[in-house]
């Protein structure tokens, strides 16, 4: 299957499942559920759930086997975007091509919608064995790893260091800490969760851990580059905002050419990591290339 077709099919599966599991807009309190759905269905690429499905398939599992966890990951990702856009953080007006959540529903509802998405995500994760295809011990391992990568030593920690570094000159290890924690962690967690839920053995999990680490960092470097050279309409958000805020980025620290080279090197590392998985990992190879070459 071509990557374009794969992305289209898998993101349709995720949308269908999210629609099924998210509380309906008319369920009390409607304003909260509308706000949650507004940001979840604003047209994201569904990259993290798709990586989770492809990782499961690469170890002999299925997309369906990871659907609860895949939707949970998208809900956690969406909560992080809603909170990141708040006036207290990046104070952004546009996200995923439409006004940000707090611009539409107000700040308090946006905060609570993010809180509810995070909480509902863990409810979904706890139900990951609902179809009795997954051992409860594996579900617990996945819950622990998602919490670890999303929490204070993961995404939230990365966000704090990012905020505290604004307008300052930071060194390269600090920049790498921000990138691997703020963004890379959820990507790595998605791949690892896919490998675990798909029934991967320890060798396969180790290979996919190397893949997820490299792909996660490459994703954020590509994001930094898009903030410099990307198209606002295709991205669905403002460009040039990193520089305007005095954020440390790969292009700011290394220059555009070296940042591109680093993203490509990481992509090669990610692809090489897949060797033990053979042809079953072909989709993940294509996804690694897509992560660094995407326009949005
Ligand atoms: C608020 C706890 C908390 C964390 C925020 C993820 C994050 C941490 C901030 C987002 C800021 C940002 C734009 C980072 C760049 C990387 C990133 C997460 C881009 C958006 O991800 P995509 O491209 O978005 O996968 P879509 O909309 O396609 O899902």
């Amino acid at each position: 299957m071509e990557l374009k077709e794969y992305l289209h099919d898998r993101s349709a599966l995720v949308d269908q499942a999210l629609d099924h599991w998210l509380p309906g807009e008319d369920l009390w309190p409607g304003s909260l559920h509308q706000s949650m759905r507004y940001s979840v269905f604003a047209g994201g690429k569904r990259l993290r759930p798709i990586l989770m499905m492809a990782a499961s398939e690469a170890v002999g599992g299925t997309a369906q086997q990871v659907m609860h966890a895949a939707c949970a990951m998208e809900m956690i990702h969406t909560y992080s975007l809603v909170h990141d856009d708040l006036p207290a953080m990046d104070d952004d007006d546009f996200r995923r091509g439409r006004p940000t959540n707090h611009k539409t529903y107000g700040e308090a509802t946006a905060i609570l919608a993010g809180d509810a998405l995070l909480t509902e995500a863990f409810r979904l994760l706890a139900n990951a064995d609902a179809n009795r295809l997954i051992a409860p011990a594996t579900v617990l391992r996945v819950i622990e790893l998602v919490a670890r990568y999303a929490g204070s030593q993961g995404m939230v920690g990365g966000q704090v260091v990012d905020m505290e570094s604004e307008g300052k000159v930071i060194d390269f290890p600090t920049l790498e800490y921000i990138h691997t924690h703020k963004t890379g962690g959820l990507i790595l967690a998605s791949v690892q969760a896919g490998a675990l839920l798909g029934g991967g053995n320890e060798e396969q999990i180790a290979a996919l851990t190397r893949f997820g680490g490299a792909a996660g960092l490459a994703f954020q470097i590509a994001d930094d580059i898009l903030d410099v050279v990307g198209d606002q309409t295709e991205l669905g958000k403002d460009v040039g905002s990193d520089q305007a805020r005095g954020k440390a980025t790969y292009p700011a620290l290394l220059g555009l050419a070296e940042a591109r080279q680093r993203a490509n090197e990481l992509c090669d590392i990610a692809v090489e990591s897949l060797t033990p998985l053979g042809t079953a990992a072909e989709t993940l190879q294509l996804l690694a290339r897509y992560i660094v070459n995407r326009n949005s």
Side-chain angles (χ1 to χ4, degrees):
M1 198 190 288
E2 293 249 339
L3 185 66
K4 202 171 159 198
E5 209 181 319
Y6 185 87
L7 293 173
H8 181 270
D9 280 12
R10 293 298 185 270
S11 91
L13 282 180
V14 174
D15 284 3
Q16 212 178 8
L18 281 167
D19 188 35
H20 178 70
W21 282 319
L22 275 167
E25 291 199 346
D26 45 2
L27 195 68
W28 183 258
S31 57
L32 176 66
H33 296 135
Q34 284 155 29
S35 166
M36 290 161 74
R37 283 177 164 264
Y38 175 83
S39 289
V40 169
F41 294 111
K45 295 183 290 296
R46 312 302 192 211
L47 182 65
R48 292 148 196 82
I50 289 172
L51 280 167
M52 200 187 292
M53 293 177 201
S56 171
E57 289 163 345
V59 299
T62 63
Q64 217 49 47
Q65 226 162 308
V66 303
M67 199 54 82
H68 287 81
C71 290
M73 194 58 82
E74 187 64 18
M75 285 159 66
I76 295 172
H77 167 59
T78 305
Y79 121 75
S80 80
L81 299 179
V82 171
H83 281 194
D84 184 67
D85 291 335
L86 287 167
M89 295 203 215
D90 274 3
D91 195 11
D92 273 318
D93 293 348
F94 285 96
R95 167 74 64 186
R96 290 177 162 175
R98 49 162 88 175
T100 43
N101 197 299
H102 65 273
K103 285 271 159 198
T104 307
Y105 291 94
E107 210 176 322
T109 303
I111 292 170
L112 293 165
D115 293 342
L117 283 170
L118 175 61
T119 314
E120 287 294 313
F122 279 91
R123 181 152 80 117
L124 259 188
L125 277 171
N127 281 314
D129 72 333
N131 48 15
R132 304 282 173 260
L133 288 173
I134 318 274
T138 306
V139 175
L140 279 180
R141 209 171 148 186
V142 170
I143 291 174
E144 192 280 334
L145 95 86
V146 174
R148 180 158 32 95
Y149 284 112
S152 67
Q153 292 173 74
M155 179 177 71
V156 177
Q159 175 79 347
V160 169
V161 179
D162 188 30
M163 280 166 27
E164 290 176 352
S165 304
E166 269 185 31
K168 292 186 190 154
V169 178
I170 60 166
D171 58 16
F172 196 72
T174 309
L175 177 65
E176 207 153 80
Y177 175 92
I178 294 170
H179 280 24
T180 51
H181 287 73
K182 188 182 88 167
T183 324
L186 277 202
I187 290 181
L188 173 55
S190 302
V191 173
Q192 283 186 335
L196 282 165
L197 295 167
N201 61 35
E202 291 306 321
E203 191 205 2
Q204 291 170 321
I205 293 167
L208 287 172
T209 298
R210 278 195 300 281
F211 170 86
L217 182 54
F219 174 88
Q220 182 56 59
I221 300 174
D223 203 78
D224 286 356
I225 295 170
L226 282 172
D227 194 66
V228 181
V229 301
D231 178 88
Q232 194 151 323
T233 315
E234 278 189 77
L235 285 172
K237 60 173 186 174
D238 299 335
V239 291
S241 54
D242 290 340
Q243 198 187 1
R245 273 191 207 103
K247 283 210 186 216
T249 63
Y250 267 69
L253 246 73
L254 301 180
L256 206 47
E258 212 174 309
R260 280 200 174 110
Q261 192 187 329
R262 185 68 189 132
N264 285 323
E265 280 166 11
L266 284 161
C267 176
D268 291 342
I269 292 171
V271 170
E272 279 161 27
S273 311
L274 298 172
T275 309
L277 299 162
T279 53
E282 266 166 14
T283 307
L284 284 175
Q285 281 188 28
L286 297 175
L287 284 167
R289 305 248 174 256
Y290 165 74
I291 280 172
V292 292
N293 296 317
R294 68 205 159 91
N295 301 319
S296 66

